[in-house]
Amino acid sequence: MDKKALGGRGEDFAAEYYKRLGFSVTARNYSCRGGEIDIIAENSEYIIFVEVKTRSQNTLYSPSQAVDLKKQKRLCIAAMKYITENEIEKQPQFDVFEAYAQNGRIYKVNRIENAFEAFDFGGRYDIF
């Protein structure tokens, strides 16, 4: 299975996971000039911006390690754009969803709730 298909499988799994938690998935693969968000999910209180990282079983690093400060900044920019376009007034939260695959099947997941915040950029990058 190629990398893109594996990533898509992880995103599908994550979307279903959030639905089972009671969230509605309001957008997938939202993109704008500043960045891209894999999944946007909401409940009555929160809007969750989810970065999904899927890796095969033989990886040396955890999938979440790929969500570095540069990636976080791009997620925050895209989130701000989405919130502005849709006049959202809910509390934003950024999750990282790790999916581990073996032979093209997801066998383990890890949801990192509130993995980072928009002001985690050394105090110099407040967007909310």
Side-chain angles (χ1 to χ4, degrees):
M1 175 172 285
D2 70 2
K3 200 172 178 179
K4 187 172 183 171
L6 185 63
R9 186 156 294 170
E11 288 179 16
D12 291 344
F13 195 97
E16 289 303 314
Y17 183 93
Y18 278 87
K19 288 177 187 175
R20 285 192 304 268
L21 291 176
F23 290 90
S24 61
V25 174
T26 55
R28 291 190 57 183
N29 299 309
Y30 170 81
S31 63
C32 65
R33 183 178 174 113
E36 187 257 341
I37 301 169
D38 295 327
I39 296 172
I40 301 172
E42 296 182 55
N43 66 11
S44 60
E45 189 176 352
Y46 292 98
I47 181 162
I48 312 292
F49 300 99
V50 184
E51 176 65 14
V52 180
K53 291 297 181 189
T54 307
R55 297 292 185 264
S56 62
Q57 68 183 32
N58 296 327
T59 185
L60 296 174
Y61 303 100
S62 70
S64 63
Q65 287 179 301
V67 187
D68 59 9
L69 285 176
K70 182 178 178 181
K71 179 66 175 172
Q72 291 174 24
K73 184 175 179 179
R74 293 177 58 92
L75 287 163
C76 289
I77 289 168
M80 183 177 69
K81 178 87 169 146
Y82 183 86
I83 286 171
T84 302
E85 287 174 350
N86 295 284
E87 299 179 6
I88 304 291
E89 295 186 16
K90 297 176 182 178
Q91 176 67 40
Q93 179 175 303
F94 296 91
D95 287 3
V96 174
F97 189 91
E98 298 179 316
Y100 295 86
Q102 181 177 13
N103 299 323
R105 296 177 56 99
I106 305 299
Y107 71 93
K108 177 181 166 186
V109 298
N110 181 33
R111 175 186 176 205
I112 304 170
E113 290 183 72
N114 209 21
F116 61 91
E117 296 187 20
F119 55 82
D120 282 348
F121 301 101
R124 296 183 301 272
Y125 189 73
D126 297 329
I127 64 167
F128 293 110

